[in-house]
Structure formats: structure tokens, C-alpha cells
Amino acid sequence: MTSQVSTPAEQADGADEAVVGEQRKPVGEKEVKRLDRVIIRFAGDSGDGMQLTGDRFTSETASFGNDLSTLPNFPAEIRAPAGTLPGVSSFQLHFADHDILTPGDAPNVLVAMNPAALKANLADVPRGADIIVNTDEFTKRPMAKVGYATSPLEDGTLDAYNVHPVPLTTLTVEALKDFGLSRKEAERSKNMFALGLLSWMYHRPTEATEAFLRQKFAKKPEIAEANVTAFRAGWNFGETTEDFAVSYEVAPATKAFPTGTYRNISGNLALAYGLIAASRQADLPLYLGSYPITPASDILHELSKHKNFGVRTFQAEDEIAGIGAALGAAFGGSLAVTTTSGPGVALKSETIGLAVSLELPLLVVDIQRGGPSTGLPTKTEQADLLQAMYGRNGEAPVPVVAPKTPADCFAAALDAARIALTYRTPVFLLSDGYLANGSEPWRIPDTDELPDLRVQFATTPNHTLADGTDVFWPYKRDPHTLARPWAIPGTPGLEHRIGGIEKQDGTGNISYDPANHDLMVRTRQAKIDGIKVPDLEVDDPDSARTLVIGWGSTYGPITAAVRRLRAQGEPIAQAHLRHLNPFPHNLGDVLQRFDKVVVPEMNLGQLATLIRAKYLVDAQSYTQVNGMPFKAEQLATALKEAIHV
């Protein structure tokens, strides 16, 4: 049986509904239908295990071979108030039998573990979608907490949806009655019951999840078996209940990926692996000086596991100590990294300026989140671009690199390391919460595909004085890169002074000479301006007059929106920036080719401001700062209006 052929419009990424193919032959009394795509959202209290449930469903979906994209969404509190709207945690997964780019605009299936989860997410659910509700939680008190005067399951609120009332808690407790657990302990496994039910509905593999549960709770085998039992009970419930008369198949995305070995990966994990790969390709030890901060902490956690690759991690007492230690490691010859988010960048700014003055390689990884101040720790934003560009005293230029997808964080880390090592400069790597926590399939590269990042340390004097004496000048520059030599402390004859006071060109001696300061400021800027980055590629199949240009994590929603518009016959060109300082050398020429330039950003127009200032182009901003990524349909509508204005 083959699936129904979809039109280009139906195949546009991020569609709000799944495309249902031909009905398959019944298996027993259950019908099986094929879908092109499905968007599922698990939602409940932050203590209900929705992130774990989503992660496990995602892992099984990845192993099955679907293309996928995820959107975890959770409160900043470790344990937010139970049963309240601010305490709702959700995990959205979009998976398909073809290439996709976003977690989807709206769920086809909502699993609501309580009234708060239903109310917080119902506005996103399209009419006709499936809603699975845990009826055990729809009692008077939980409903009153979120403002339901009457039960939404009975008052017509959900008439426009396909509602599946399931007493998840009761069924879980009943399935675990022989384990001797208290009711409270048994109730904790209701997320595994829900996972089992959804795994049956969408024909997901189960063996890996059972193995995962046994490993996760290896020290408490009775808890492990209870979770496995609840998982199996959910599967069996789907298979036997009359309420779920149909199950669904989403075939593997065999044509979406080039040949290779794939794994599901989150942005932070990909970034950590990229840093390790960079250190190996540079043949340098990797040193991370960091302070825990959401959403960057996972990089510290991951790197701490890899001492076998020469990785040393230092959890400092604060942000300033973290970057200070990292800069010291750079002076000592390590590939040095510090990880943080926006508030931490503010604290690190003085030391970043010191790194600019010392001209040492240092990676500053900023996983952006909503601000200002503490802001929205678990929500995404792109509002640190101007801080990365200009958030230091004096003229202190720093290169800026931004990955576009979770998997691209690996390559972006290698690219940032290349720039830092080649040009002896701190480099900003701007990811964000959406990329950090989201995941997608990643093709594991062969080692021979990775760049050679090896550097040569200074080992001998590099300058001859007028009297014939050979000396070492720490600021004598490579004529091609303007990088100064990197001398390891303790190398005989290469002793030199470092510090934050202005240096004399060449010698590195302290200098207050106005002309020398002017030269050094301009030289440091010229070094950054001269960094070699690839030309900007433009996707313009129809000679469009409107260009949409983005950076960072807006790539998925922008590309999905462009696909929709082109399917409707609308001509639009697309380009996406990885390098934000320096810009690609052909960016000015690209911008001049178009009548209109639209810049979608999750800030108030920071890239658009830079483009207007540098290229005198009337770039139009389309902005969003609600802590969530753009939706494809939202962007498509805005871009269509821009085309026709």
C-alpha cells in the first residue's frame, strides 16, 4: 500500500494538519491509516514528566527513521505550583516521512494531563484535532484553580475536537496494584501509561524505552519494573479499548536524508560535541570555565563526562571567575571556552575586552534567553546580538557566529574555533534556548570531513634588533591574518608582558602614545574585518524582488514560510547569515539586488538595525519577543503582505 500523494501546498513544512493517506487493511478490529506528518504535544504539571515522555517518544521516532523537530517548553521554577497555568510544562514533537524544519505550528494531538494543561494549550489546537485528557484530574478543585466553573469535558467547550477521555491515573494505579507502591508513588508512572498509549497509536518501537527505564532506575528495580508495566499497560489499553478504533503510521523519511549514520541530537549536545571535535582537530586540550545558567548548563554537564578526550571543566563560583579561568587557560595553550546566557555575558564583558586586548583565542558561548535581567530563563530570544557586537568599553571588536538548527551547532562550534585559533581573538557563538533544547536528526560526520585546526605555537625569537639581537615580539603580526604569535608560558626566551593596558605595536610594552593607540585600535578592527567567511548564498529560483534574510534559529520557520509561499506561486528569495561579524563580503551586493528586504527576528530588530546602518538599505523588521519561536504560517502571512505592499 502506498501513501496518498500530497500537493506541494500540503507538503509545506509546519502544516497545521496531518495529511491522511489511504486506509490500510484492518489489523484485527483496528484500522491503520497512514499520515505524512504528525504534531503531538504532551502537556501537564512540571512534575508530571512531560519532558521525559517527549524525549522518549522522540528517541523512538528517531530510531524509526522519521525526520523530526522538537520544542520543549517548561517553567523556570524547579517545581512550579501544581495545577496552575504558570506551572504547565509541555513537549511538542513534529515528525514526518519527508523533510521538515520546525516543531510545527499547532498540534494534531494534545495529551492534557490536567485542567491547567488543557487550558494553557487549547488555543493552539486546531478544530478537529485529537485531545486525550486525563479525566481523573478534572475534579472541582483542579478546575477551579484555572478558572473552569464547569467541566470543559461536559459543557461543550471541546465540541469542536475529537476528545478521548481516559482515566490515566486510575488505570495506572490499577496496573501497578501488585507492586506494593503507595497511590502517590504509582501515580507518578501515569506519564509512562500515556507514552505507551501514544506509542501504540503511532506504531513507535518500544524495546529501547523499556531498556532506558530499566537503566534509569537500575538502583530501584521495583520502580523500573513499575514504569515498564505502566508503559505496557498504556500500549495494551490502546490496542483493546473501543475509544481508539484507529492507529496511524508515519513512514520513515527515507528520501529526506543523505546516506549516513544518524542520531537524534539537541543543540546543546551538538555544541558540546563540536567543541570536543574542535579540540581534537586542533590537537589542543579543551578547557571550559563556566558557571551554571539556564539554558547553557547542559554543555557544562556534557563536557564534564569527557575527560578521556582531554577535556577539563571548571565550575566556577561566578561568571567572572569562569571566564577569567578560561582566559588563563587560553594563555596557557588550551582551546578555551566559557558558556553562559545573556545575564552572564554582561558580567563577563570586562574579561572579553581583556581577551580582545591580549589577542588570545577564546570561545564565548551565549545560549540566549528572554531578558532583560533574569527575564525568562527557560524561554527563547535572539536579543543578545547587539550586546555581542558592542557590549564592551572601548573599541573591542569580536567575531560573532550563529548556528541555524540544533544539529548545525556542531558545525558552528568548529567554525567558531577556526576563527578564534586562526586570528587569535575571542569569538561569540550565539545559540538560543530554542536550539539548545530542541532536537533533530544529525548525520554523524566522518573524521576526515572535519577541518584541520592545528596551530603553531611560537618557539623561537621572531624579531632582530638593530644591534643584531634576536628577541621575541608578542605583537608582531602574521601579514595575512594580522594574528599575533601564541607563545606558551615558560618557553625559553619568549617571556612577554600581558595585561589590559594598551600595548605598543610589536613589542607589547605598555604604551600611552596617542598614535600607537590609534594604530592598535585600527589594527584590531582590521583583523576582524579581514576574517575569511564564506559568501552569503541566496536561494532565489524565481528572480524575486523580495528577500527575507535571517540569522540563528529563525532558519526553520523562515524556510518553512518560504516553502509555503512558493507553493502558492509567490516569488520570494531567502538568505540566512551564520557570520554576523564580520558580515559576508558579498552581503552588500546581495541586498542591492532586491527591492524589499525583510528581516524576521526574535528581538526588536537588532540585525535590521545593523543592516540599515552598514548598507543604507531600508530593511523591514518583523519581530517577536514572546519567548517562543516564530510559527511558519505567521511568517508566511507577514512575508506575503511584504511582497504585495
Side-chain angles (χ1 to χ4, degrees), residues 345 352-353 355-357 359-366 384-392 395-403 412 415-431 481 523-533 551 578-584 610:
V345 173
I352 296 171
V356 171
S357 176
E359 300 190 44
L360 287 171
L362 173 68
L363 299 185
V364 181
V365 178
D366 177 6
D384 295 350
L385 175 56
L386 294 183
Q387 179 178 226
M389 290 284 289
Y390 303 118
R392 295 164 294 284
E395 296 288 346
V398 175
V400 180
V401 177
D415 199 11
R418 171 189 69 85
I419 294 171
L421 294 170
T422 302
Y423 296 91
R424 310 287 196 270
T425 177
V427 177
F428 261 102
L429 199 161
L430 290 184
S431 180
T481 64
T523 301
R524 286 188 290 261
Q525 183 65 57
K527 180 174 69 170
I528 303 307
D529 292 341
I531 291 172
K532 291 183 179 180
V533 302
W551 68 279
R578 165 176 282 179
H579 297 96
L580 297 151
N581 193 31
F583 284 130
L610 294 173

Side-chain angles (χ1 to χ4, degrees), residues 368-381:
Q368 300 166 95
R369 71 191 206 187
S373 187
T374 307
L376 303 173
T378 60
K379 309 302 180 185
T380 195
E381 205 163 87

Side-chain angles (χ1 to χ4, degrees), residues 166-387:
V166 181
L168 286 171
T169 306
T170 298
L171 291 171
T172 302
V173 171
E174 178 64 21
L176 303 183
K177 64 182 180 181
D178 296 332
F179 281 82
L181 301 174
S182 68
R183 181 177 178 86
K184 185 176 181 179
E185 290 173 327
E187 286 179 0
R188 291 174 181 165
S189 296
K190 63 181 180 291
N191 63 322
M192 288 297 105
F193 189 101
L195 177 60
L197 173 58
L198 270 293
S199 297
W200 172 84
M201 283 181 66
Y202 293 98
H203 297 207
R204 300 296 91 184
T206 61
E207 294 80 4
T209 291
E210 294 188 9
F212 167 83
L213 291 170
R214 290 191 172 100
Q215 181 180 7
K216 180 178 177 65
F217 299 105
K219 295 182 180 180
K220 297 181 178 179
E222 70 284 358
I223 299 298
E225 290 309 311
N227 278 281
V228 169
T229 299
F231 177 68
R232 291 177 175 175
W235 177 283
N236 293 334
F237 177 78
E239 195 168 46
T240 57
T241 182
E242 295 181 1
D243 192 37
F244 293 92
V246 179
S247 64
Y248 304 93
E249 282 188 350
V250 180
T254 55
K255 297 181 181 180
F257 307 117
T259 302
T261 302
Y262 287 80
R263 60 157 294 165
N264 186 53
I265 199 165
S266 69
N268 273 353
L269 183 57
L271 207 157
Y273 286 175
L275 294 173
I276 295 171
S279 75
R280 293 300 80 210
Q281 292 303 106
D283 196 22
L284 296 174
L286 178 65
Y287 184 94
L288 174 68
S290 187
Y291 180 75
I293 184 171
T294 302
S297 299
D298 285 341
I299 303 172
L300 169 62
H301 301 159
E302 183 61 35
L303 289 179
S304 69
K305 303 174 184 177
H306 297 287
K307 295 178 182 178
N308 56 312
F309 285 114
V311 178
R312 178 172 293 180
T313 54
F314 169 54
Q315 180 174 320
E317 65 268 30
D318 56 38
E319 296 281 4
I320 299 171
I323 189 173
L327 185 56
F331 178 60
S334 293
L335 176 59
V337 184
T338 189
T339 54
T340 189
S341 191
V345 173
L347 294 169
K348 296 177 189 290
S349 61
E350 181 181 4
T351 307
I352 296 171
L354 176 59
V356 171
S357 176
L358 299 183
E359 300 190 44
L360 287 171
L362 173 68
L363 299 185
V364 181
V365 178
D366 177 6
I367 314 296
Q368 300 166 95
R369 71 191 206 187
S373 187
T374 307
L376 303 173
T378 60
K379 309 302 180 185
T380 195
E381 205 163 87
Q382 288 184 298
D384 295 350
L385 175 56
L386 294 183
Q387 179 178 226

Side-chain angles (χ1 to χ4, degrees), residues 510-524:
I510 290 175
S511 173
Y512 295 98
D513 179 63
N516 177 78
H517 178 60
D518 183 273
L519 174 64
M520 293 297 280
V521 168
R522 294 182 187 278
T523 301
R524 286 188 290 261

